Amino acid sequence: MLVQILFYAFAAILVAAGLGVILSRNPVHSALSLVLCFFTSAVLWLLIEAEFLAIVLVLVYVGAVMVLFLFVVMMLDINLEQLRSGFTRHAWLGALTTGIVIFEIVGVIVAKQLGVDATQGAAPLPAGYSNTRELGVALFTRYAYPIEIAAILLLVAIIAAIALTMRKRPGLKVQDINAQVAVRAADRVRIVKMDAEKRP
Amino acid sequence: MQWLQTQWQMLPAFMHSTLVIVGLTIVLILSVAYLTLWERKFIGWIQLRRGPNRVRIFGLPGTGGLGQPFADVIKLLIKEIVIPAKSNKVLFRLAPAIALIPAFATWAVVPIAPGYAIANVDAGLLYVLSLTSVGVYGVILAGWASNSKYAFLGAMRSAAQMVAYEIAMGFALVGVLMAAGSLNLGEIVTQQRGAALSWNWFWLFPLFVVYAIAGVAETNRAPFDVAEGESEIVAGFHVEYSGMAFALFFLAEYANMILIAALTAVFFFGGWLSPLDGYLAADSAIRQVPVLGALLGDGTHWLVLKIFLWLCVFLWLRATFPRYRYDQIMRLGWKVLIPVTIVWIAVEGLMVWLKVGPWSA
């Protein structure tokens, strides 16, 4: 009962935050609503005892991805009028996507009522069950190669992103930090011993 | 005492944790108050000054300086909170709270006594990482909502710095994870059982150094305080804040320092474990002495002592080093700390594989 009350409360917040993402006029407010979305989804995942996924969602999306997102959105000077102008032109695409998502959700619910429940519901797990451990076992035994391939792909993407943005412009003034760090006091300061002189 | 114990047992379970949370919060806030005083005293002694020595508690003789934190708090409370006209009012008020909450919420999983944490979470280490990464929102939002150039520059610096050092910190903790074989903070402490040399800092020394440096950077303390950088960008992200709103940022910074010190103690210095653990057996004669025996054994007092010593290192760093330049901070984070952690994780993997040191059993 308490779980259901919590579920509906957080689901309501999630929907409200989702609306906030698309309805608010200020892009920074949208990004912050998205942060709230991630938080409430994490809470919903906690309710079905998927604590590892919930915490990782907060760690990765709230802690890293959205910080960079906010970083970019705050720096941009977005002209909202210009963005709005394409609304009717792309409305069919949005409607199509929404329709497919709704179809999928309804499909899952209908399938559940027909008795072919692929999700198996959320049965209460035994007390000693750690889904961190279970995930780790699955990822590093059965799915060891897929996860390594995914890691390599991400590494390639990182290197590609760096290679794309690293331009060597002529005449660029760059500090050689290694040289700066390697500097010793003796290179810069010369201490001169002088005899004291009488004031003129 | 007996009466208190029976009363305690009669309370329902949720009241237990609520009372512990309230107690811990009060202790933390008082510690923050006295940490500010200790910082001024400690740095004063390092720089051959006296530090605060005037404000007495209720005018009692011999308590000169001890009333200083309360005098500061009262001063800040009765100051006006100025909200800039062109600022984003809601976010401007929200930002200090967002900065403060993670610093306290993280304590939920910290093992504060042998076998006890407020919430004994299995994925505790991930919880710590995710909450400490939320703290940066307070700084970014404060900088942006102020609608001021200096504040915004401070926020941008802080965001870049946090993202860079979070990675180094996470990698350093991967090493701790490999040593403990668990994400549970309580198990990370018990796995280090033994003498002071069996604590994680010895076998994971490079990771410990990286974690310590990243910890200083995460809390925006000198020499990594470019987000404030009072000689370059006035006061950075909180330049527009005054009165109690400013005090909340101050509180968050010091609460974060205490938290990072506690986490360093838990991850690398055996938390509440006694350093004499391996040398004095539990049934040795000196451990049977009533008070002394208990003090030499495991307990919260060791955790408090480790936190205190680590805080002194924080203050010592601040009194000693000049501020890093921004590009040097980035270089240190990305090009020095992260490679070091990756190399040592590989070395640790080899040690586990070849069964060296603590992994020989």
Side-chain angles (χ1 to χ4, degrees), chain A residues 17-36 38 65-84, chain B residues 88 91 137 140-141 144-145 152:
Chain A
L19 286 176
V21 175
I22 52 172
L23 291 181
S24 61
R25 286 168 179 275
N26 190 329
V28 173
H29 289 178
S30 291
L32 289 174
S33 303
L34 196 53
V35 171
L36 185 59
F38 286 134
V65 175
M66 286 314 290
V67 172
L68 290 177
F69 237 83
L70 262 184
F71 196 95
V72 173
V73 166
M74 283 174 176
M75 300 274 254
L76 294 177
D77 189 19
I78 298 173
N79 188 347
L80 282 175
E81 288 309 309
Q82 215 175 359
L83 278 180
R84 293 259 160 78
Chain B
N88 189 318
L91 293 183
Y137 278 94
I140 298 184
L141 288 182
W144 184 77
F152 191 60

Side-chain angles (χ1 to χ4, degrees), chain A residues 26 28-29 32 35 39 52 55-56 58-59 62-63 66-67 70-71 74-75 130 132-133 175 177-178 180-181, chain B residues 88 91 122-123 126-127 129-130 133-134 136-137 140-141 144 152 156 159-160 163 166 181 183 325 327-328 331:
Chain A
N26 190 329
V28 173
H29 289 178
L32 289 174
V35 171
F39 255 111
F52 180 80
I55 296 175
V56 165
V58 174
L59 176 62
V62 177
M66 286 314 290
V67 172
L70 262 184
F71 196 95
M74 283 174 176
M75 300 274 254
S130 157
T132 314
R133 182 175 295 277
Q175 283 153 337
I177 301 184
N178 288 324
Q180 289 181 333
V181 172
Chain B
N88 189 318
L91 293 183
D122 262 338
L126 282 174
Y127 174 84
L129 275 178
S130 59
S133 64
V134 168
V136 68
Y137 278 94
I140 298 184
L141 288 182
W144 184 77
F152 191 60
M156 288 293 124
V163 170
E166 200 107 291
L183 285 166
R325 211 174 59 204
D327 58 325
Q328 287 175 337
R331 174 183 168 276

Side-chain angles (χ1 to χ4, degrees), chain B residues 159-171:
Chain B
Q161 182 182 326
M162 288 267 189
V163 170
Y165 282 81
E166 200 107 291
I167 297 172
M169 201 175 206
F171 266 123

Side-chain angles (χ1 to χ4, degrees), chain A residues 4-123:
Chain A
Q4 270 165 350
I5 295 172
L6 283 176
F7 172 80
Y8 283 112
F10 281 104
I13 298 174
L14 179 57
V15 172
L19 286 176
V21 175
I22 52 172
L23 291 181
S24 61
R25 286 168 179 275
N26 190 329
V28 173
H29 289 178
S30 291
L32 289 174
S33 303
L34 196 53
V35 171
L36 185 59
C37 271
F38 286 134
F39 255 111
T40 35
S41 336
V43 173
L44 293 185
W45 280 0
L46 276 181
L47 287 179
I48 56 168
E49 301 182 32
E51 79 268 2
F52 180 80
L53 286 178
I55 296 175
V56 165
L57 180 75
V58 174
L59 176 62
V60 174
Y61 281 92
V62 177
V65 175
M66 286 314 290
V67 172
L68 290 177
F69 237 83
L70 262 184
F71 196 95
V72 173
V73 166
M74 283 174 176
M75 300 274 254
L76 294 177
D77 189 19
I78 298 173
N79 188 347
L80 282 175
E81 288 309 309
Q82 215 175 359
L83 278 180
R84 293 259 160 78
S85 64
F87 183 75
T88 43
R89 204 146 43 88
H90 300 301
W92 66 272
L93 194 60
L96 184 68
T97 322
T98 318
I100 292 172
V101 171
I102 291 175
F103 175 76
E104 282 175 353
I105 294 172
V106 171
V108 169
I109 295 170
V110 169
K112 202 170 179 175
Q113 277 161 358
L114 291 178
V116 276
D117 183 10
T119 60
Q120 302 291 325

Side-chain angles (χ1 to χ4, degrees), chain B residues 125 129 168-180 204 207 345 348:
Chain B
L125 196 145
L129 275 178
M169 201 175 206
F171 266 123
L173 292 183
V174 167
V176 174
L177 203 94
M178 282 167 72
L204 307 178
L207 296 182
I345 286 172
E348 199 188 344

Side-chain angles (χ1 to χ4, degrees), chain B residues 14-284:
Chain B
F14 74 92
M15 281 299 289
H16 283 180
S17 44
T18 313
L19 283 176
V20 173
I21 290 168
V22 171
L24 188 69
T25 313
I26 293 171
V27 168
L28 276 178
I29 290 178
L30 279 178
S31 318
V32 167
Y34 275 95
L35 178 59
T36 58
L37 176 67
W38 176 243
E39 172 172 41
R40 293 167 68 180
K41 273 286 191 198
F42 191 76
I43 293 182
W45 291 333
I46 289 179
Q47 298 168 344
L48 303 179
R49 297 183 282 115
R50 279 178 196 277
N53 60 355
R54 291 299 156 102
V55 186
R56 290 185 283 190
I57 295 179
F58 302 122
L60 290 174
T63 57
L66 285 178
Q68 187 69 43
F70 298 104
D72 286 339
V73 166
I74 293 167
K75 180 195 75 176
L76 286 167
L77 271 175
I78 58 178
K79 268 190 172 179
E80 184 189 358
I81 298 180
V82 182
I83 296 180
K86 289 254 174 112
S87 65
N88 189 318
K89 307 275 184 306
V90 180
L91 293 183
F92 189 83
R93 285 159 209 248
L94 195 64
I98 294 180
L100 187 61
I101 291 167
F104 284 102
T106 313
W107 280 91
V109 294
V110 176
I112 45 182
Y116 180 78
I118 293 172
N120 198 1
V121 185
D122 262 338
L125 196 145
L126 282 174
Y127 174 84
V128 167
L129 275 178
S130 59
L131 270 190
T132 47
S133 64
V134 168
V136 68
Y137 278 94
V139 175
I140 298 184
L141 288 182
W144 184 77
S146 306
N147 200 7
S148 152
K149 288 189 179 65
Y150 290 125
F152 191 60
L153 277 175
M156 288 293 124
R157 286 177 171 198
S158 171
Q161 182 182 326
M162 288 267 189
V163 170
Y165 282 81
E166 200 107 291
I167 297 172
M169 201 175 206
F171 266 123
L173 292 183
V174 167
V176 174
L177 203 94
M178 282 167 72
S182 169
L183 285 166
N184 188 315
L185 264 59
E187 277 172 41
I188 289 175
V189 171
T190 46
Q191 163 268 327
Q192 302 178 51
R193 186 168 283 288
L197 281 185
S198 75
W199 295 345
N200 278 337
W201 69 270
F202 185 71
W203 290 97
L204 307 178
F205 191 72
L207 296 182
F208 158 62
V209 172
V210 169
Y211 184 83
I213 295 172
V216 179
E218 284 277 294
T219 48
N220 281 331
R221 293 284 302 175
F224 296 99
D225 57 345
V226 285
E228 276 180 55
E230 64 269 15
S231 54
E232 309 154 25
I233 49 172
V234 198
F237 63 94
H238 58 54
V239 64
E240 301 290 345
Y241 282 85
S242 58
M244 211 51 213
F246 164 75
L248 283 183
F249 276 118
F250 209 69
L251 191 62
E253 179 181 330
Y254 283 81
N256 267 322
M257 271 170 75
I258 299 178
L259 176 70
I260 290 288
L263 290 177
T264 313
V266 165
F267 291 140
F268 294 98
F269 290 96
W272 40 260
L273 289 175
S274 159
L276 304 167
D277 209 23
Y279 306 118
L280 292 175
D283 51 356
S284 59

